[in-house]
Amino acid sequence: MRAGDSDRQRVADQLKAALDEGRLDLSEYDDRVQRAYAARTYGDLDGLLDDLPGTIPVEKSRVVPREGVSEPVEKPASKHQGRSGFPGMLAIFVVCTLVWAMSSLGSGELQYFWPGWVLIPVVFAFFAQFGKRRH
């Protein structure tokens, strides 16, 4: 029996869904789509989807939650939430200073102290944290 354009398009859509799901690689998808559009009968279309279990049209596919799976639990607010990141920023400054010191020692002379630029937000974070403690 002769296959129509809508039949070929249906198979091509199912192949696209299989590609999106990772069941086909791109070269295999291209080969099968070419064969689908070249098909003249239903017999030519039959072998294109046989090894793809569960391939369904995109418009009918949907994710259904499994039974017994609990909803994600929100973490309680941390006692550090909302504070400035002064300790973390200070650690970054220390690491940058160590990198600067090692590069200066490796070159045999003192290099430009670029970690000073990293120190600027650390100072602002310190004053922000200091101001919060006073209130």
Side-chain angles (χ1 to χ4, degrees):
M1 183 168 235
R2 188 151 176 88
D5 287 340
S6 63
D7 299 319
R8 288 189 281 274
Q9 186 61 47
R10 181 184 50 81
V11 171
D13 290 343
Q14 289 178 319
L15 290 170
K16 175 68 168 115
L19 175 69
D20 292 342
E21 294 168 357
R23 297 173 189 248
L24 291 175
D25 63 14
L26 190 56
S27 64
E28 195 174 12
Y29 167 75
D30 287 339
D31 180 52
R32 290 185 190 206
V33 167
Q34 287 177 0
R35 288 179 17 211
Y37 285 125
R40 295 183 182 188
T41 65
Y42 285 112
D44 295 337
L45 293 174
D46 282 343
L48 297 176
L49 300 173
D50 289 345
D51 63 335
L52 299 173
T55 306
I56 58 173
V58 176
E59 62 273 359
K60 293 184 180 178
S61 66
R62 63 182 184 141
V63 177
V64 179
R66 292 186 291 162
E67 295 296 322
V69 177
S70 63
E71 292 295 318
V73 178
E74 290 187 29
K75 293 181 181 179
S78 170
K79 65 180 182 178
H80 300 290
Q81 191 173 10
R83 285 190 182 174
S84 64
F86 175 70
M89 295 174 93
L90 186 61
I92 291 172
F93 171 71
V94 169
V95 169
C96 289
T97 303
L98 289 174
V99 169
W100 170 81
M102 289 189 298
S103 65
S104 290
L105 286 174
S107 68
E109 60 184 45
L110 287 179
Q111 300 292 321
Y112 171 73
F113 188 69
W114 55 266
W117 290 103
V118 179
L119 187 61
I120 293 170
V122 173
V123 170
F124 282 119
F126 172 76
F127 285 121
Q129 189 173 11
F130 182 71
K132 287 182 182 179
R133 286 185 182 169
R134 294 187 76 199
H135 292 288

